[in-house]
Amino acid sequence: MIRWLLSFLFIGNLATAQVTVDPERTSVSDGWWTLEVAIGLDRITPYRVFTLDDPRRLVLDVEGASFAGLDAAALLSGDRATDVRFGPLRPGWSRMVVDLAEPLVITEAGMVRTDAGADLTIVLERASAEEFAAAAGAPPDPGWDVVTGFDPDAAAALAASEDFIVVIDPGHGGIDPGAYQGGIKEADLMLILAAELAVMLNTQEGVQAVLTRENDVFVPLSARMTFARQVGADLFLSLHADALGDADVRGASVYTLSSDGGDAAAQRIVERHERGDLLAGVDLNDAEDRVATTLMDLARARTGPEGVRIADALAAAMQAQGVPMNSRPRREGQFVVLTAAGFPSVLIEAGFLSNAQDRAFLATPEGRARIARAIRDTVVLLAR
Ligand SMILES: [Zn+2]
């Protein structure tokens, strides 16, 4: 049984050039007994491919390529695959995820040089649910989940510093774009807000701000937490602007960890965020942050109440800055990024992209500056 297939073909001079994907030679289609994935590229490039269970999906990572020009609906024909998604995964790599309608295992995967450049072909054949489960799994490559290439020496210097370290976590990124409404992508907007906030915080004496991602790349939730621990975070701020089915729901709210599931809206938002890790192939059950050991509970008993006080202060400061607030500006939810034990963590829903007024507010530098000023005013008090 082929558990997974890896191809790291290191050929000189590939590193910087963008690999072009040809939509005409790219498809996901049924054969007689098979599902065939064909990717037309303009040159040979490293790739890796594997399947994951729950839900069943094929994951294809290609170095140097961008799938951005592809139309998912146009690629797909037949019944064995139900959906195709793609986006940046980590610096220099893109991911394609194909949802499988039935258990299909990889029987063939190869890249060949052609006149047009290179053709990557993956063939999957029908199998039993047991065979699929046995074959599924991401390649065990510990180097793969490194966060953003943040310099370990810089992280150590931050951890050793006397300064108040704020880890700003722009939600989503890469294969997980978050909400997308009215032409605005949550992942992009939160990166902009995070960068503006970092600039504002870094002008404060005794405060240093760092970002969990600085590009449109996917960073697993657990890796964001690991990063925060490495830099010795004094405060972890996750930034979001999600979408709900109800376009009337509006206004900013500040979340802290709940011991139960929180309210219904919080649960829907939590599910959306964990889906990003599912798409990218991260097994959330393995995330150490979700393991409620006695030691972590003990540490949380200290940082938990601190997080609640900070969240209360943040909500009040946002209100004072004229940020449109939700009817319940303080909420609780079981977000992975709120489960840290060593430092207080809060999640800010800056507004809802599903609401036109919130969208208009967040789209302006003036609107975002109000949020940033509220956070700055709170951090300055904490840093004293
Ligand atoms: Zn979000």
Side-chain angles (χ1 to χ4, degrees), residues 220-241:
L221 297 174
S222 57
R224 294 170 194 247
M225 309 308 292
T226 304
F227 171 77
R229 271 197 299 278
Q230 281 167 351
V231 299
D234 293 298
L235 176 62
F236 184 90
L237 281 178
S238 196
L239 301 178
H240 290 263

Side-chain angles (χ1 to χ4, degrees), residues 171-172 178-179 186 190 239-243 269 272-273 335 347 349:
H172 310 277
E186 184 185 0
M190 292 305 103
L239 301 178
H240 290 263
D242 286 281
I269 293 170
R272 186 198 301 275
H273 290 107
F335 294 93
L347 184 145
E349 280 285 357

Side-chain angles (χ1 to χ4, degrees), residues 70-88:
L70 297 177
D71 173 6
L75 292 185
L76 204 57
S77 63
D79 301 322
R80 298 207 172 98
T82 55
D83 196 14
V84 181
R85 291 175 303 268
F86 28 71

